[in-house]
Amino acid sequence: MQKIKSRGFTLIEMLVVVAIVIIVTSMALANLPNFRDRLSLDVVAQEIAVQTRGAQVFGSATSYGGSGLIFPSYGMYFNTGQSKMFLLFSDLGDLDQNFTYDGNVPPHPGDCGDISLSECSQQYYINAPVKIVAINIFNNSEQIPVSSLSVVYPRPDTDARFCTSEIPADCIPPNTIQRAEIVIKADRSGEQRIIAIYNNGQIAVKKPVSP
């Protein structure tokens, strides 16, 4: 009867396998910070888009505040000077209805949610290593950088209206701005995402186009 000889790994083969595992692990660990940055960036971009969509829903579906005030508009407020936060606000109807956020920036403690103190309904903090670095509005083909922006959804429409204190005339209907872009950037990698908000009500998250 013929014996079958079994052969194990040689020392050289074992060393080659260990070396390959070390190299693959090192590559994975080296890319881990970039992966986490990219993930945080995408999460923040989607959060801004979702909350903006929420303001659109509130604007089209909500008519009264807690104390009986009519809220014809809800909107989002962004400010590059407060790059780690953004706001949901309610335009105070017959009191001023100017399609812009009139409260404190940043809001005073306790302001948000109390319409007797501020238009701020909810303050959102960006806790990830991501910040708002730019706000751009587009009038026809012209790109205009601004430092603050109110994106408002007048009731009962789902179309967006854009208002910035730097171009007050655009706060008055008819609004001539076609879209606004909120640019966010990861602190470590420098990678960016753009939240594009269109005047027809559409909202999109996209990567910057390479030149």
Side-chain angles (χ1 to χ4, degrees), residues 24-95:
V24 172
T25 303
S26 299
M27 293 174 63
L29 290 175
N31 287 324
L32 183 59
N34 288 336
F35 171 76
R36 295 169 81 173
D37 269 7
R38 200 174 304 118
L39 181 62
S40 296
L41 194 62
D42 288 335
V43 168
V44 172
Q46 291 297 334
E47 176 72 7
I48 292 175
V50 166
Q51 298 304 337
T52 303
R53 181 69 73 191
Q56 184 182 42
V57 172
F58 293 151
S60 62
T62 306
S63 59
Y64 292 97
S67 63
L69 289 175
I70 297 176
F71 290 172
S73 307
Y74 274 82
M76 301 298 293
Y77 177 78
F78 304 94
N79 191 313
T80 55
Q82 299 292 325
S83 61
K84 301 289 288 185
M85 55 147 277
F86 54 97
L87 304 174
L88 168 70
F89 72 93
S90 50
D91 208 17
L92 292 180
D94 295 334
L95 297 183

Side-chain angles (χ1 to χ4, degrees), residues 77-81 100 135-137 144-150 163-171 177:
Y77 177 78
F78 304 94
N79 191 313
T80 55
T100 189
I135 302 170
N136 298 308
I137 57 176
I144 306 170
V146 296
S147 61
S148 64
L149 180 70
S150 295
C163 181
T164 172
S165 59
E166 292 156 74
I167 312 177
D170 278 329
C171 300
I177 302 171

Side-chain angles (χ1 to χ4, degrees), residues 14 18 22 35 40 49 67 76 90 95 106 113 117 120 122 147 151-152 170-171 184-185 195 197:
M14 289 294 294
V18 171
I22 291 174
F35 171 76
S40 296
S67 63
M76 301 298 293
S90 50
L95 297 183
L117 298 175
C120 177
Q122 181 71 47
S147 61
V151 181
V152 183
D170 278 329
C171 300
I184 61 175
K185 184 172 76 171
I195 301 90
I197 306 168

Side-chain angles (χ1 to χ4, degrees), residues 94-153:
D94 295 334
L95 297 183
D96 64 356
Q97 194 180 350
N98 56 1
F99 306 107
T100 189
Y101 172 65
D102 294 320
N104 297 305
V105 182
H108 293 158
D111 277 4
C112 292
D114 188 341
I115 58 175
S116 66
L117 298 175
S118 172
E119 288 188 341
C120 177
S121 295
Q122 181 71 47
Q123 184 174 9
Y124 300 97
Y125 294 97
I126 301 175
N127 295 316
V130 175
K131 61 186 175 185
I132 299 171
V133 294
I135 302 170
N136 298 308
I137 57 176
F138 294 81
N139 189 343
N140 295 321
S141 60
E142 183 183 7
Q143 175 179 321
I144 306 170
V146 296
S147 61
S148 64
L149 180 70
S150 295
V151 181
V152 183
Y153 295 95

